[in-house]
Amino acid sequence: MWVRVLAVIAGMILLACGCGAAKRPAADGLAWADCDDGFECAKLRVPLDHGKPDGEKIDIGVIRLPATGDRIGSLVINPGGPGSSGIQYARAAQVTLSRKIRERFDIVGFDPRGVGESEPVRCLSDDRLDAFLALDTTPDSPQEQAALEQGSREFADGCQARSGRLLPHLGTADAARDMDLLRQALGEEKLTYLGKSYGTFLGAVYADLFPAKVRALVLDGALDPSIPRLKLNSDQAMGFERAFRAYVEDCLAEASCPFRSHDVDGALNELADLLRRTDAQALPSNGRQVTEALATLGALTPLYDRDSWPELTKTLRQALAGDGTSLLANADRLIGRRDNGTYSNQTEANMAVNCVDSAYPRETSAYATAAAEAAERSPRFGPYIMWSSLPCATWPAKPTFSNHPLKARGSAPILVIGTKRDPATPYEWAQSLASQLDSGVFLGFDGDGHTAYFNGSSCVDDAVDTYLLTGVAPADGTICPGIS
C-alpha cells in the first residue's frame, strides 16, 4: 500500500540511473544510455543562472521509459515536493500512469535542480538532520523556542556553507526554464506534462513563462500561487485536519478502531492528547525517540493515500499503547530517511526551494503569531506546520518569486484537478488556480487522499487520459464521484 504514497509524496530513496552502458548520440539532443529495466538515462546541461546562459553549467538527471506502442511524443512528469525525485517517479510509471498513456508516450522524469541526481543541495550531516527534524516545533517555553530558533539557523547556515552557490538559483522559475530546455532537447514542439502537488506549481509557472509552448498540462492536487506562504501553510494544516476527520469517521465504523471515544470530536481529542504526551515524553522506538514532531509526521503521512488508512489505524493503536515504532517508520518515509540512517536530500531541497519561492517573515514573532492562529483552525497540525518553515526566516538567498496569480495568457487548455478531502493541497487551491489561468479547466474529485489521477476513479482517469492523448479537456467544473 505504500507504493503510491512513496511515488506521490516524496522521492524518498533516490534510485541511481546506473548508466554504465556506453552513451550513444540521439537525434533528440540527449545522449541516452540504457539504465536497466527498460529505462534510458541521460544528463541535460543547463545554465546555473539562466540570466547568464554562457556562464557556469550544471547537470540535470533525466530518465525515460520509451512508449510501447504508436508513439505520440514525450510526457514529462513531476511528483511534487518540492524536493521529490522525478527519476524515481518515472520508475514507478506502471503504478502511477495508465497503460494507454505508457503505450503512446515516452515517460520522461527529471530531478529538478537541487534534487537527487541534479546538483543536490546539502545542508546537514545525517546525525544533525536527525536532530533538526526531532526539534520541538510546538514550543511552549522560551527555552524550547530558543532551541528551535538555533536549530533553524543551523539548518540555513549549513545550506549556505555546503551549497551556497546553488541557493539563489533553486526557485521554481529556474526549474521551469530547465524544463523548457528539456522539451527542446526531447525534440518536442510543445510540452505535454503531468504534475502533482508542488508539480502543479512548476507546471503553472512554466505555462506562465511559455504559454505558446503548452500542448497539454495536467495539474493534479494544485497549489494556489497567489497565497502568501504562511497563509498557504495554514490552509494546508486545515487540509490535514479535514482529512484526519474523514479518516476518523471511517475508523469509528470499524471494530479495529483504536479510539476509546465513539464520536469524531472525542477521537480527535485523543490524537491531540497523544501528541501532547509525546511533547512531554518521547515514545520509544528501537533505540530512537519519537518526539512530538516525528509523531505528528507519522500520523499525517498515511493520510496521503486512502488505501493507507488501515495502516494508520495500526499505527495509532500501537502509539496509544506506548510504542512509537510505526509512527517513526511513517515519518521516515515522508522525510526520506533510509533504514541505514542516511537521508535522501528530500528535506533539504524542499526547504531550499520553498525559501526562495516566497517571501517569508524575518521575525520569529511572526511565526509564533501564525502558529497560534493556525491552532484555532487546526489544533493537531497547525502549529507544527507553521513553525516548520522557520529556517526561511534566516535564509541566505533572496526570494525569487512574489506570490501572485498566474495567467498563462494564450496557452492551450490546462486541466487543473482538486480532490475534496486532499490533506496536503486543499480543494479550494485547485479551484483558485483554475480560475486564475486564462485557459484553466477545473475537474473535481469527491474523494480522499492526495491527488486524484490513478487513485481509483475511472471518471478522473478517463478524463485525464483523453486530455493527454487528444488535447480535449472535460467540461469545466466536472465533478467525479467518490469511490464506493
Side-chain angles (χ1 to χ4, degrees), residues 286-304:
N286 297 328
R288 292 170 63 198
Q289 297 293 302
V290 185
T291 64
E292 183 184 16
L294 294 171
T296 302
L297 284 172
L300 64 80
T301 298
L303 297 174
Y304 279 84

Side-chain angles (χ1 to χ4, degrees), residues 370-424:
E373 292 174 350
E376 295 294 319
R377 302 177 67 202
S378 176
R380 282 146 287 269
F381 304 112
Y384 168 81
I385 290 176
M386 301 309 296
W387 280 110
S388 65
S389 294
L390 189 58
C392 296
T394 56
W395 202 252
K398 295 180 180 180
T400 57
F401 181 85
S402 59
N403 298 106
H404 63 277
L406 297 177
K407 299 293 186 182
R409 291 185 175 90
S411 80
I414 297 172
L415 181 59
V416 183
I417 308 174
T419 298
K420 284 195 174 179
R421 292 170 296 280
D422 189 315

Side-chain angles (χ1 to χ4, degrees), residues 32 35 39-41 61-65 86-87 90-91 107-109:
W32 296 103
C35 53
F39 288 90
E40 299 172 328
C41 294
V62 185
I63 191 171
R64 75 175 174 187
L65 180 65
I87 290 174
R91 286 188 175 272
I107 307 305
V108 178

Side-chain angles (χ1 to χ4, degrees), residues 2 4-13 81-85 88 133 197 236 240 293-305 326-338 343-348 350 381 384-385 423-424 450:
W2 283 107
R4 185 176 186 277
V5 177
L6 292 176
V8 173
I9 301 175
M12 297 174 185
I13 302 174
S84 297
S85 168
Q88 182 184 5
L133 291 166
S197 195
Q236 185 180 68
F240 279 108
L294 294 171
T296 302
L297 284 172
L300 64 80
T301 298
L303 297 174
Y304 279 84
D305 186 353
S326 291
L327 280 174
L328 189 59
N330 294 351
D332 284 351
R333 289 186 185 97
L334 187 63
I335 58 182
R337 190 184 193 275
R338 306 181 182 97
Y343 283 85
S344 74
N345 83 318
Q346 158 78 20
T347 295
E348 293 152 312
N350 181 279
F381 304 112
Y384 168 81
I385 290 176
H450 185 35

Side-chain angles (χ1 to χ4, degrees), residues 65-80:
L65 180 65
T68 60
D70 185 11
R71 180 183 179 278
I72 293 175
S74 300
L75 171 64
V76 178
I77 59 176
N78 180 278

Side-chain angles (χ1 to χ4, degrees), residues 17 26 36 45 73 119 287 297 332 392 461:
C17 270
D36 64 63
R45 296 283 283 173
E119 299 283 337
L297 284 172
D332 284 351
C392 296
D461 295 350

